[in-house]
Amino acid sequence: MRTGAVIVAAGMSSRMGDFKPLMSMGEMSIIGRVIVNFQQAEVFPIVVVTGFYAELLEKHITKMGAICVRNPNYEHTEMFDSVLLGLSFIRNLCDRVFFTPADIPLFTYDTVRQLLDTVSDVVKPVYFDRDGHPVLLSGALVDKIIKYKGNGGLKTAIDLYAEDINLIAVEDEGILLDADTKEEYQDLLERNNKLLFRPAVDVSLMREGRLFDKNAALLLHMVAYSGTVKVASEKIGISYSKAWKMLAALEERLGFPLLKRQHGGEAGGMSILTEDGRKLLFCYEQYAKAVKKYAEDIFDDYFDWEP
């Protein structure tokens, strides 16, 4: 079962007086911290809905392996409109979807793992009787939410359509902590500095040099989803020419074709993964998942102390 995530970062951060997603959170940005929290738990794909300062934000986050979906009408729409854009895009890419605003960066890897272990229409983390983010939605519920035309936003749609809501008690106050004001931001910084470290493993396949990695995997995923290299390159924030150069170099080094191409047309022609391309992608992802799980399993054998 594949689980993805939608992070909404289209707002104007008017109360903060600064652009919240790109504000510093230790050695990374606030939005970067949210993305990494999901990546550590093998959540994929991760879709970020942008709006205000879209180009700047997209340039920043596509380097992290996130997919960007832009809300061009962010000034005149509500957060729920951005949620719908993200859910509509990701629905066919995964079976379940996490949702969170971009300004709640301190929920932990352990919380994400606890939510992933529970199957319900809605799974919410709860800290001392207060529910927070991220919220995990089933695919069936996402289908209903996408069709919702009423008022009240995501909460109202969930209350209307969810048949079961599972509340999971977590020892993680970070699920409640956002950054709407300068004071809240300073509190987040202090809490972030106290967080324990966790392993973060990136898996690459090598020959003489780097052969295949998470960036190549993301490109193949997006080509498989969109059917065109042009759309795939736009969504992951690289140029059309760079995408084709990456694919050509991969095919030359691997010794087999990754795509079947049909040239021409306004979108640059159609492209689908070959059988070998699909097999490579599947095997890489299963191997990477196993390596990261092993790293998690042995982590406490070496770091069972608090600095």
Side-chain angles (χ1 to χ4, degrees):
M1 180 181 292
R2 184 184 294 279
T3 304
V6 170
I7 305 168
V8 172
M12 299 173 67
S13 307
S14 55
R15 290 180 60 192
M16 175 64 74
D18 202 344
F19 187 48
K20 287 190 291 185
L22 294 185
M23 293 175 71
S24 173
M25 180 62 60
E27 296 183 0
M28 62 180 62
S29 63
I30 287 178
I31 186 71
R33 172 67 65 188
V34 178
I35 292 170
V36 167
N37 290 345
F38 285 128
Q39 289 176 331
Q40 288 181 337
E42 290 297 299
V43 173
F44 179 87
I46 298 170
V47 171
V48 179
V49 183
T50 65
F52 188 56
Y53 284 147
E55 292 185 6
L56 181 64
L57 181 56
E58 289 166 5
K59 183 178 180 181
H60 174 71
I61 60 179
T62 50
K63 297 176 182 177
M64 303 185 66
I67 300 166
C68 297
V69 176
R70 188 180 298 189
N71 178 1
N73 298 315
Y74 67 92
E75 291 184 85
H76 310 291
T77 56
E78 303 294 330
M79 177 186 283
F80 187 50
D81 296 288
S82 294
V83 173
L84 292 177
L85 285 174
L87 293 179
S88 297
F89 181 88
I90 204 174
R91 178 60 188 100
N92 293 327
L93 296 175
C94 54
D95 305 294
R96 300 186 295 174
V97 182
F98 277 109
F99 163 74
T100 186
D103 61 351
I104 302 179
L106 293 188
F107 63 86
T108 67
Y109 162 86
D110 289 329
T111 290
V112 177
R113 293 304 314 174
Q114 281 183 260
L115 300 180
L116 284 170
D117 289 339
T118 305
V119 178
S120 290
D121 277 346
V122 182
V123 187
K124 293 183 178 181
V126 176
Y127 180 79
F128 282 93
D129 297 324
R130 295 177 61 194
D131 60 275
H133 290 89
V135 176
L136 182 57
L137 309 173
S138 71
L141 181 60
V142 168
D143 290 338
K144 295 175 183 177
I145 291 172
I146 290 172
K147 297 176 183 177
Y148 178 64
K149 304 298 182 182
N151 298 320
L154 180 61
K155 184 180 185 305
T156 300
I158 287 175
D159 291 342
L160 178 63
Y161 294 123
E163 296 182 4
D164 60 307
I165 298 178
N166 208 321
L167 304 179
I168 305 299
V170 298
E171 296 181 6
D172 179 10
E173 191 177 6
I175 68 169
L176 307 174
L177 303 175
D178 60 9
D180 279 338
T181 66
K182 291 289 186 182
E183 292 74 20
E184 290 173 343
Y185 171 62
Q186 288 301 321
D187 181 55
L188 287 181
L189 288 181
E190 292 174 9
R191 291 171 181 271
N192 179 69
N193 292 337
K194 297 176 183 178
L195 290 177
L196 295 178
F197 39 79
R198 301 291 302 176
V201 180
D202 286 333
V203 177
S204 300
L205 304 180
M206 308 289 289
R207 194 163 276 166
E208 288 82 4
R210 188 180 300 245
L211 180 63
F212 194 86
D213 59 15
K214 64 180 183 181
N215 295 322
L218 180 60
L219 176 57
L220 290 189
H221 265 297
M222 288 310 303
V223 171
Y225 170 73
S226 66
T228 75
V229 176
K230 184 176 186 295
V231 173
S233 62
E234 290 172 353
K235 293 301 181 184
I236 65 174
I238 63 176
S239 69
Y240 183 49
S241 60
K242 182 176 180 180
W244 275 117
K245 287 179 182 178
M246 284 179 60
L247 291 165
L250 279 170
E251 290 182 333
E252 181 177 357
R253 294 170 188 162
L254 290 165
F256 57 81
L258 296 171
L259 302 181
K260 296 178 183 178
R261 306 171 178 86
Q262 180 179 336
H263 296 287
E266 183 178 343
M270 296 293 295
S271 298
I272 61 173
L273 296 190
T274 63
E275 182 63 31
D276 286 334
R278 289 194 298 271
K279 185 174 181 179
L280 172 66
L281 185 58
F282 174 80
C283 291
Y284 168 80
E285 291 192 327
Q286 294 303 305
Y287 172 67
K289 184 177 181 179
V291 170
K292 292 176 183 179
K293 184 179 185 306
Y294 179 70
E296 286 287 339
D297 290 343
I298 67 170
F299 181 79
D300 289 337
D301 294 340
Y302 298 90
F303 295 98
D304 60 345
W305 50 273
E306 295 186 15

